[in-house]
Amino acid sequence: MRRWLCLATALLCVTALFGCAAPLTESGSSSMTDVPAPQQSGPSVFSLPYSGDDTLNPFAAATEVNLQLAGLLFDSLTVVDGTFTPRLSLASAIDAVDATHIKVTLRREALFSDGTSVQLSDVVASYRAARESRNYRALLANVTAAKADSRTGTVTFTLAKADPHAAACLSFPVYKAASATTERRKAPIGGGAYVLTQTEEELFLQRNPNRKEACVYQRIGLRHLPSSDSMYYGLASQDITYYYNDLSAGDIPRVSASSAVVDMNALLFLGVNSTKEGLSAPAVRRALSSLIDRATLVSSVYAGWAKPALTPFHPAWSGAQGLTGLSASRDLAGALELLNADGYGTGTGQKELALELIYCQDGPYRSAVAGFVRSELASAGVAVTAVPLSYADYVSRLNAGTYDLYLGEVRLTPNMDLFPLLAGGSAGYGVAPDGAAGTAYTGYREGSVTAEAFTSAFVQDMPYIPLCWRCGFAAYDRRLSTVTPHGYDPYYGFINWR
């Protein structure tokens, strides 16, 4: 989703940003040749939920359900696909000027839905609105400025830090600056596949006449169903055709309609206080990681609505393909060997490793995950006391450093920025400032260290222990056979859904 959420149950926002490791390719855009619409095999009427009490301006929307519609109403310089890879859209080219500047060439024929051309000034105004918006602030945290050059038809973005994947963070909506509005039931003019249309009787989405791609559905009904419960009943009564739930509340809806697991870049991890005796040793942190059976955690606690974390990156990301690091199953023998070598165990002369694990009791599944971790570590003689805390007390303990382990969750931005989880980051509690993983990651971002080398350094250092990637939930009319949502865009590829 486009509101980049936090650590644990709502704790800390994450950051983002830069160019491309591989050449970008163009996504569907208004420069494409018009083709006949695909044969429709799904519902003849398609309706979606929204909140009539909220604006459809993506930079001002207060509800997730309205924010989710941004991808249908607005185009962006890049779009993030199902492998979390940026594709060109309003941009015709993105070039690195140097390590901290990227130049974007705007597609000359780019149009808004009213037929007017997309101007460089609209891109800059949209960037500024996005950076000031709580919905996109984290996405653009590393992009510090945007400067238009009308002579070359480009916008140069300045980065605070080098980032080989910053193009993914240019996926903020672009609107016609002169049309900006924050009124309820209204939206600025955009260039997406659909246009917000209102009559005396209803509000709906109509196909954008200035987009050349074929759309399966020419008209989309909007139903005022702002809450998850109302969407659930709306789907059951066929008042809506589809809805998305990021499962942040922890409840998996039981629906009679079709449903799908949606990849979402939300990492559940075990934070480690490396300043504490025992935990300062990377070998001990690796041992704790080896004791956790990630596959069982996913199947038992999350009932399959998560994926094991086997590298520092989400497994769906194109950049993570071919990387290896952590194991989905536990390695008790290997963990015991590491602990014994560091002087911990149950044998004569060995020290006992006793740890306190804190977690926020307001978070979904946190108690079950804490119990699972406690049981896994106990099998190797590591005594764990799990302590549930209120959100305020949880944050206080983290800031004070009075913990051994903690359960955290962070939703990463689409450039796969890990700085928030490392020393000095917004979620980097307990991470040693001179750790090998942090040094290697800085090198990776600057281009001197490969992804493979960074992953290896991470596994050896283990600054935090990745557990699993939580998934989202999509439910839809059984007559639909093709839906392609992902966690950054619940309506990705919508023009081809059928």
Side-chain angles (χ1 to χ4, degrees):
M1 296 253 324
R2 294 177 183 265
R3 178 171 296 146
W4 317 105
L5 298 180
C6 50
L7 165 70
T9 53
L11 181 52
L12 299 167
C13 290
V14 291
T15 58
L17 316 204
F18 161 52
C20 351
L24 298 184
T25 57
E26 290 198 37
S27 68
S29 66
S30 58
S31 64
M32 295 177 63
T33 303
D34 201 2
V35 296
Q39 183 177 359
Q40 182 172 309
S41 58
S44 57
V45 177
F46 206 109
S47 297
L48 296 174
Y50 89 112
S51 172
D53 298 324
D54 189 18
T55 180
L56 284 151
N57 179 330
F59 307 126
T63 56
E64 292 289 346
V65 67
N66 281 16
L67 193 58
Q68 291 170 8
L69 294 171
L72 297 179
L73 293 169
F74 303 93
D75 205 347
S76 47
L77 295 172
T78 64
V79 294
V80 177
D81 69 14
T83 65
F84 301 161
T85 303
R87 305 293 182 189
L88 295 176
S89 192
L90 284 176
S92 63
I94 298 180
D95 301 296
V97 177
D98 54 39
T100 57
H101 294 86
I102 51 175
K103 182 178 291 186
V104 176
T105 303
L106 188 64
R107 194 160 38 77
R108 291 183 179 180
E109 69 279 16
L111 299 175
F112 286 119
S113 61
D114 64 353
T116 59
S117 298
V118 178
Q119 302 294 318
L120 298 176
S121 58
D122 294 313
V123 174
V124 173
S126 298
Y127 157 77
R128 291 173 178 166
R131 187 167 168 82
E132 294 172 1
S133 167
R134 71 189 185 107
N135 296 337
Y136 296 89
R137 188 179 302 145
L139 176 70
L140 293 168
N142 192 48
V143 184
T144 59
K147 183 178 181 180
D149 185 340
S150 58
R151 181 177 52 85
T152 60
T154 61
V155 178
T156 298
F157 291 92
T158 301
L159 311 176
K161 295 179 181 178
D163 181 357
H165 310 295
C169 296
L170 302 183
S171 53
F172 59 88
V174 173
Y175 65 9
K176 187 172 182 177
S179 72
T181 177
T182 58
E183 291 185 63
R184 61 186 290 270
R185 295 168 59 90
K186 291 187 177 181
I189 293 172
Y194 291 90
V195 180
L196 185 67
T197 306
Q198 186 167 14
T199 66
E200 292 184 0
E201 294 79 23
E202 63 176 326
L203 191 70
F204 57 94
L205 303 182
Q206 188 73 33
R207 180 189 172 186
N208 179 354
N210 288 297
R211 297 275 292 205
K212 298 296 185 180
E213 307 96 325
C215 291
V216 174
Y217 300 98
Q218 304 297 302
R219 176 181 169 123
I220 308 297
L222 294 178
R223 304 289 181 261
H224 175 66
L225 299 171
S227 69
S228 293
D229 286 345
S230 64
M231 293 179 216
Y232 171 83
Y233 290 110
L235 186 66
S237 64
Q238 296 188 331
D239 197 28
I240 57 174
T241 314
Y242 167 94
Y243 85 97
Y244 170 79
N245 187 327
D246 69 1
L247 302 181
S248 57
D251 297 323
I252 300 173
R254 297 181 180 276
V255 296
S256 58
S258 296
S259 62
V261 176
V262 179
D263 283 326
M264 193 169 63
N265 205 10
L267 175 66
L268 182 76
F269 65 97
L270 193 62
V272 184
N273 191 342
S274 63
T275 66
K276 293 297 185 79
E277 182 181 0
L279 297 177
S280 62
V284 173
R285 300 195 293 265
R286 292 201 304 272
L288 299 183
S289 175
S290 296
L291 287 170
I292 298 171
D293 192 313
R294 293 168 173 83
T296 300
L297 172 66
V298 164
S299 63
S300 62
V301 176
Y302 284 93
W305 293 89
K307 293 184 176 180
L310 305 182
T311 75
F313 303 114
H314 194 286
W317 181 45
S318 57
Q321 305 311 304
L323 297 180
T324 58
L326 308 174
S327 174
S329 56
R330 72 196 310 254
D331 179 7
L332 178 59
L336 290 173
E337 183 178 349
L338 288 169
L339 289 171
N340 291 336
D342 218 63
Y344 293 97
T346 57
T348 303
Q350 297 285 75
K351 298 174 291 184
E352 180 186 12
L353 188 59
L355 305 172
E356 183 183 59
L357 167 63
I358 65 171
Y359 65 95
C360 184
Q361 61 187 358
D362 297 336
Y365 304 110
R366 295 295 186 265
S367 179
V369 174
F372 182 86
V373 170
R374 183 180 64 245
S375 176
E376 294 287 271
L377 270 56
S379 65
V382 179
V384 174
T385 301
V387 180
L389 298 170
S390 67
Y391 176 72
D393 288 342
Y394 175 76
V395 174
S396 178
R397 292 279 298 272
L398 288 176
N399 286 327
T402 53
Y403 64 91
D404 297 317
L405 306 172
Y406 70 92
L407 282 181
E409 182 179 309
V410 64
R411 191 173 300 188
L412 300 177
T413 41
N415 63 326
M416 302 297 141
D417 183 20
L418 299 182
F419 276 129
L421 286 158
L422 298 172
S426 58
Y429 294 104
V431 178
D434 57 350
T439 300
Y441 187 65
T442 297
Y444 168 69
R445 288 280 293 258
E446 293 175 348
S448 61
V449 174
T450 65
E452 292 82 358
F454 160 65
T455 301
S456 177
F458 178 93
V459 171
Q460 289 300 308
D461 186 29
M462 201 64 67
Y464 58 88
I465 301 173
L467 298 177
C468 63
W469 300 94
R470 197 166 56 75
C471 295
F473 170 91
Y476 48 93
D477 189 299
R478 287 186 177 277
R479 289 171 291 180
L480 281 171
S481 59
T482 303
V483 295
T484 55
H486 60 73
Y488 296 121
D489 187 355
Y491 297 110
Y492 179 74
F494 182 82
I495 61 172
N496 296 313
W497 292 13
R498 59 178 67 85

